[in-house]
PDB file of all heavy atoms in Angstrom:
ATOM      1  N   LEU A 211      22.704   1.865 -10.112  1.00  0.00           N
ATOM      2  CA  LEU A 211      23.525   1.032 -10.967  1.00  0.00           C
ATOM      3  C   LEU A 211      22.651   0.482 -12.064  1.00  0.00           C
ATOM      4  O   LEU A 211      21.625  -0.096 -11.804  1.00  0.00           O
ATOM      5  CB  LEU A 211      24.136  -0.119 -10.146  1.00  0.00           C
ATOM      6  CG  LEU A 211      25.047   0.325  -8.987  1.00  0.00           C
ATOM      7  CD1 LEU A 211      25.425  -0.877  -8.166  1.00  0.00           C
ATOM      8  CD2 LEU A 211      26.259   1.025  -9.501  1.00  0.00           C
ATOM      9  N   LEU A 232      15.790  -9.081 -13.177  1.00  0.00           N
ATOM     10  CA  LEU A 232      14.725  -9.160 -14.169  1.00  0.00           C
ATOM     11  C   LEU A 232      13.603 -10.066 -13.706  1.00  0.00           C
ATOM     12  O   LEU A 232      12.416  -9.749 -13.829  1.00  0.00           O
ATOM     13  CB  LEU A 232      15.286  -9.640 -15.510  1.00  0.00           C
ATOM     14  CG  LEU A 232      14.284  -9.772 -16.659  1.00  0.00           C
ATOM     15  CD1 LEU A 232      13.682  -8.406 -16.983  1.00  0.00           C
ATOM     16  CD2 LEU A 232      14.960 -10.369 -17.890  1.00  0.00           C
ATOM     17  N   SER A 262     -14.701   2.555   0.628  1.00  0.00           N
ATOM     18  CA  SER A 262     -13.587   2.740   1.562  1.00  0.00           C
ATOM     19  C   SER A 262     -12.451   3.479   0.855  1.00  0.00           C
ATOM     20  O   SER A 262     -11.876   2.963  -0.121  1.00  0.00           O
ATOM     21  CB  SER A 262     -13.080   1.380   2.053  1.00  0.00           C
ATOM     22  OG  SER A 262     -11.864   1.533   2.731  1.00  0.00           O
ATOM     23  N   PRO A 263     -12.061   4.670   1.315  1.00  0.00           N
ATOM     24  CA  PRO A 263     -10.951   5.399   0.679  1.00  0.00           C
ATOM     25  C   PRO A 263      -9.653   4.634   0.726  1.00  0.00           C
ATOM     26  O   PRO A 263      -8.855   4.675  -0.206  1.00  0.00           O
ATOM     27  CB  PRO A 263     -10.870   6.705   1.499  1.00  0.00           C
ATOM     28  CG  PRO A 263     -12.216   6.849   2.137  1.00  0.00           C
ATOM     29  CD  PRO A 263     -12.707   5.461   2.393  1.00  0.00           C
ATOM     30  N   ILE A 280       6.670  -2.828 -15.122  1.00  0.00           N
ATOM     31  CA  ILE A 280       6.595  -3.066 -16.566  1.00  0.00           C
ATOM     32  C   ILE A 280       7.506  -2.099 -17.311  1.00  0.00           C
ATOM     33  O   ILE A 280       8.183  -2.468 -18.264  1.00  0.00           O
ATOM     34  CB  ILE A 280       5.126  -2.941 -17.044  1.00  0.00           C
ATOM     35  CG1 ILE A 280       4.298  -4.125 -16.520  1.00  0.00           C
ATOM     36  CG2 ILE A 280       5.050  -2.879 -18.569  1.00  0.00           C
ATOM     37  CD1 ILE A 280       2.833  -4.044 -16.869  1.00  0.00           C
ATOM     38  N   ASN A 291      18.698   7.101 -26.102  1.00  0.00           N
ATOM     39  CA  ASN A 291      19.822   8.015 -26.297  1.00  0.00           C
ATOM     40  C   ASN A 291      19.402   9.479 -26.293  1.00  0.00           C
ATOM     41  O   ASN A 291      20.247  10.349 -26.091  1.00  0.00           O
ATOM     42  CB  ASN A 291      20.530   7.694 -27.621  1.00  0.00           C
ATOM     43  CG  ASN A 291      21.090   6.290 -27.652  1.00  0.00           C
ATOM     44  OD1 ASN A 291      21.680   5.839 -26.657  1.00  0.00           O
ATOM     45  ND2 ASN A 291      20.907   5.590 -28.761  1.00  0.00           N
ATOM     46  N   VAL A 298      12.276  11.865 -19.127  1.00  0.00           N
ATOM     47  CA  VAL A 298      10.923  11.363 -18.881  1.00  0.00           C
ATOM     48  C   VAL A 298      10.964  10.030 -18.160  1.00  0.00           C
ATOM     49  O   VAL A 298      10.208   9.784 -17.213  1.00  0.00           O
ATOM     50  CB  VAL A 298      10.150  11.238 -20.217  1.00  0.00           C
ATOM     51  CG1 VAL A 298       8.814  10.536 -20.001  1.00  0.00           C
ATOM     52  CG2 VAL A 298       9.915  12.599 -20.842  1.00  0.00           C
ATOM     53  N   VAL A 305       8.576   8.792  -9.767  1.00  0.00           N
ATOM     54  CA  VAL A 305       7.189   9.009  -9.338  1.00  0.00           C
ATOM     55  C   VAL A 305       6.504   7.682  -9.017  1.00  0.00           C
ATOM     56  O   VAL A 305       5.869   7.533  -7.970  1.00  0.00           O
ATOM     57  CB  VAL A 305       6.413   9.785 -10.410  1.00  0.00           C
ATOM     58  CG1 VAL A 305       4.903   9.779 -10.082  1.00  0.00           C
ATOM     59  CG2 VAL A 305       6.894  11.213 -10.528  1.00  0.00           C
ATOM     60  N   ILE A 329     -12.399  13.318  13.049  1.00  0.00           N
ATOM     61  CA  ILE A 329     -12.878  13.872  11.796  1.00  0.00           C
ATOM     62  C   ILE A 329     -13.766  12.818  11.128  1.00  0.00           C
ATOM     63  O   ILE A 329     -13.393  11.674  10.993  1.00  0.00           O
ATOM     64  CB  ILE A 329     -11.711  14.252  10.874  1.00  0.00           C
ATOM     65  CG1 ILE A 329     -10.905  15.407  11.498  1.00  0.00           C
ATOM     66  CG2 ILE A 329     -12.194  14.638   9.473  1.00  0.00           C
ATOM     67  CD1 ILE A 329      -9.709  15.833  10.685  1.00  0.00           C
ATOM     68  N   ALA A 344       0.306  14.165  -0.540  1.00  0.00           N
ATOM     69  CA  ALA A 344       1.053  12.947  -0.909  1.00  0.00           C
ATOM     70  C   ALA A 344       1.474  13.010  -2.376  1.00  0.00           C
ATOM     71  O   ALA A 344       2.605  12.629  -2.719  1.00  0.00           O
ATOM     72  CB  ALA A 344       0.183  11.710  -0.655  1.00  0.00           C
ATOM     73  N   VAL A 349       5.627  14.127  -6.771  1.00  0.00           N
ATOM     74  CA  VAL A 349       5.805  14.619  -8.145  1.00  0.00           C
ATOM     75  C   VAL A 349       6.725  15.828  -8.216  1.00  0.00           C
ATOM     76  O   VAL A 349       7.632  15.902  -9.052  1.00  0.00           O
ATOM     77  CB  VAL A 349       4.423  14.944  -8.767  1.00  0.00           C
ATOM     78  CG1 VAL A 349       4.596  15.569 -10.147  1.00  0.00           C
ATOM     79  CG2 VAL A 349       3.576  13.677  -8.850  1.00  0.00           C
ATOM     80  N   ALA A 360      21.321  19.480 -17.846  1.00  0.00           N
ATOM     81  CA  ALA A 360      22.174  18.384 -17.347  1.00  0.00           C
ATOM     82  C   ALA A 360      23.467  18.925 -16.742  1.00  0.00           C
ATOM     83  O   ALA A 360      24.087  18.241 -15.918  1.00  0.00           O
ATOM     84  CB  ALA A 360      22.472  17.412 -18.491  1.00  0.00           C
ATOM     85  N   PRO A 394       8.284   9.523   3.974  1.00  0.00           N
ATOM     86  CA  PRO A 394       7.059   8.735   4.204  1.00  0.00           C
ATOM     87  C   PRO A 394       7.229   7.703   5.313  1.00  0.00           C
ATOM     88  O   PRO A 394       6.319   7.517   6.129  1.00  0.00           O
ATOM     89  CB  PRO A 394       6.799   8.066   2.851  1.00  0.00           C
ATOM     90  CG  PRO A 394       7.507   8.904   1.864  1.00  0.00           C
ATOM     91  CD  PRO A 394       8.712   9.455   2.559  1.00  0.00           C
ATOM     92  N   ILE A 410      -4.193   1.479  22.836  1.00  0.00           N
ATOM     93  CA  ILE A 410      -3.886   0.869  24.143  1.00  0.00           C
ATOM     94  C   ILE A 410      -4.623   1.594  25.267  1.00  0.00           C
ATOM     95  O   ILE A 410      -5.208   0.974  26.154  1.00  0.00           O
ATOM     96  CB  ILE A 410      -2.368   0.884  24.385  1.00  0.00           C
ATOM     97  CG1 ILE A 410      -1.670  -0.063  23.385  1.00  0.00           C
ATOM     98  CG2 ILE A 410      -2.061   0.480  25.814  1.00  0.00           C
ATOM     99  CD1 ILE A 410      -0.169  -0.005  23.456  1.00  0.00           C
ATOM    100  N   LEU A 420     -15.938  -1.715  31.749  1.00  0.00           N
ATOM    101  CA  LEU A 420     -16.653  -2.982  31.783  1.00  0.00           C
ATOM    102  C   LEU A 420     -16.578  -3.630  33.164  1.00  0.00           C
ATOM    103  O   LEU A 420     -17.559  -4.224  33.641  1.00  0.00           O
ATOM    104  CB  LEU A 420     -16.085  -3.922  30.711  1.00  0.00           C
ATOM    105  CG  LEU A 420     -16.377  -3.552  29.254  1.00  0.00           C
ATOM    106  CD1 LEU A 420     -15.669  -4.513  28.310  1.00  0.00           C
ATOM    107  CD2 LEU A 420     -17.865  -3.534  28.982  1.00  0.00           C
ATOM    108  N   GLN A 425     -19.419  -4.996  38.120  1.00  0.00           N
ATOM    109  CA  GLN A 425     -19.430  -4.949  39.576  1.00  0.00           C
ATOM    110  C   GLN A 425     -20.750  -4.421  40.103  1.00  0.00           C
ATOM    111  O   GLN A 425     -21.271  -4.925  41.086  1.00  0.00           O
ATOM    112  CB  GLN A 425     -18.264  -4.070  40.067  1.00  0.00           C
ATOM    113  CG  GLN A 425     -18.199  -3.947  41.577  1.00  0.00           C
ATOM    114  CD  GLN A 425     -17.048  -3.067  42.027  1.00  0.00           C
ATOM    115  OE1 GLN A 425     -16.268  -2.610  41.213  1.00  0.00           O
ATOM    116  NE2 GLN A 425     -16.943  -2.865  43.348  1.00  0.00           N
ATOM    117  N   ALA A 430     -23.184  -8.139  31.366  1.00  0.00           N
ATOM    118  CA  ALA A 430     -24.093  -7.797  30.275  1.00  0.00           C
ATOM    119  C   ALA A 430     -23.875  -8.758  29.118  1.00  0.00           C
ATOM    120  O   ALA A 430     -22.808  -9.376  28.970  1.00  0.00           O
ATOM    121  CB  ALA A 430     -23.891  -6.364  29.822  1.00  0.00           C
ATOM    122  N   ILE A 457      10.147   1.594   4.193  1.00  0.00           N
ATOM    123  CA  ILE A 457      11.388   1.302   4.910  1.00  0.00           C
ATOM    124  C   ILE A 457      12.101   0.097   4.288  1.00  0.00           C
ATOM    125  O   ILE A 457      13.294   0.129   4.011  1.00  0.00           O
ATOM    126  CB  ILE A 457      11.074   1.043   6.391  1.00  0.00           C
ATOM    127  CG1 ILE A 457      10.546   2.327   7.041  1.00  0.00           C
ATOM    128  CG2 ILE A 457      12.321   0.559   7.126  1.00  0.00           C
ATOM    129  CD1 ILE A 457      10.072   2.142   8.475  1.00  0.00           C
ATOM    130  N   ARG A 475      32.757   1.765  -5.196  1.00  0.00           N
ATOM    131  CA  ARG A 475      32.655   0.371  -5.580  1.00  0.00           C
ATOM    132  C   ARG A 475      31.260  -0.126  -5.244  1.00  0.00           C
ATOM    133  O   ARG A 475      30.489   0.554  -4.557  1.00  0.00           O
ATOM    134  CB  ARG A 475      33.703  -0.486  -4.842  1.00  0.00           C
ATOM    135  CG  ARG A 475      33.648  -0.392  -3.346  1.00  0.00           C
ATOM    136  CD  ARG A 475      34.443  -1.460  -2.655  1.00  0.00           C
ATOM    137  NE  ARG A 475      33.890  -2.790  -2.943  1.00  0.00           N
ATOM    138  CZ  ARG A 475      34.294  -3.892  -2.319  1.00  0.00           C
ATOM    139  NH1 ARG A 475      35.261  -3.845  -1.389  1.00  0.00           N
ATOM    140  NH2 ARG A 475      33.743  -5.050  -2.590  1.00  0.00           N
ATOM    141  N   THR A 476      30.915  -1.300  -5.754  1.00  0.00           N
ATOM    142  CA  THR A 476      29.631  -1.898  -5.475  1.00  0.00           C
ATOM    143  C   THR A 476      29.821  -3.184  -4.673  1.00  0.00           C
ATOM    144  O   THR A 476      30.887  -3.802  -4.713  1.00  0.00           O
ATOM    145  CB  THR A 476      28.890  -2.234  -6.785  1.00  0.00           C
ATOM    146  OG1 THR A 476      29.687  -3.141  -7.549  1.00  0.00           O
ATOM    147  CG2 THR A 476      28.619  -0.972  -7.593  1.00  0.00           C
ATOM    148  N   LEU A 499      -3.828  -5.155   1.292  1.00  0.00           N
ATOM    149  CA  LEU A 499      -5.160  -5.267   0.690  1.00  0.00           C
ATOM    150  C   LEU A 499      -5.875  -6.537   1.141  1.00  0.00           C
ATOM    151  O   LEU A 499      -7.067  -6.491   1.483  1.00  0.00           O
ATOM    152  CB  LEU A 499      -5.039  -5.254  -0.839  1.00  0.00           C
ATOM    153  CG  LEU A 499      -6.337  -5.432  -1.625  1.00  0.00           C
ATOM    154  CD1 LEU A 499      -7.298  -4.271  -1.342  1.00  0.00           C
ATOM    155  CD2 LEU A 499      -6.067  -5.540  -3.119  1.00  0.00           C
ATOM    156  N   TYR A 512     -20.094 -12.189   1.714  1.00  0.00           N
ATOM    157  CA  TYR A 512     -20.483 -12.735   0.405  1.00  0.00           C
ATOM    158  C   TYR A 512     -20.560 -14.259   0.467  1.00  0.00           C
ATOM    159  O   TYR A 512     -21.467 -14.868  -0.090  1.00  0.00           O
ATOM    160  CB  TYR A 512     -19.484 -12.269  -0.636  1.00  0.00           C
ATOM    161  CG  TYR A 512     -19.762 -12.814  -2.009  1.00  0.00           C
ATOM    162  CD1 TYR A 512     -20.788 -12.299  -2.801  1.00  0.00           C
ATOM    163  CD2 TYR A 512     -19.003 -13.869  -2.541  1.00  0.00           C
ATOM    164  CE1 TYR A 512     -21.045 -12.794  -4.067  1.00  0.00           C
ATOM    165  CE2 TYR A 512     -19.249 -14.371  -3.790  1.00  0.00           C
ATOM    166  CZ  TYR A 512     -20.276 -13.841  -4.553  1.00  0.00           C
ATOM    167  OH  TYR A 512     -20.534 -14.352  -5.795  1.00  0.00           O
ATOM    168  N   SER A 557     -16.900  -3.629  10.731  1.00  0.00           N
ATOM    169  CA  SER A 557     -15.614  -3.044  10.402  1.00  0.00           C
ATOM    170  C   SER A 557     -15.798  -1.575  10.180  1.00  0.00           C
ATOM    171  O   SER A 557     -16.909  -1.070  10.074  1.00  0.00           O
ATOM    172  CB  SER A 557     -15.032  -3.693   9.122  1.00  0.00           C
ATOM    173  OG  SER A 557     -15.878  -3.415   8.031  1.00  0.00           O
TER     174      SER A 557
END
Side-chain angles (χ1 to χ4, degrees):
L211 300 172
L232 180 62
S262 169
I280 289 177
N291 299 317
V298 173
V305 170
I329 295 179
V349 175
I410 292 174
L420 290 176
Q425 179 180 358
I457 295 174
R475 56 167 296 189
T476 59
L499 177 63
Y512 178 76
S557 64

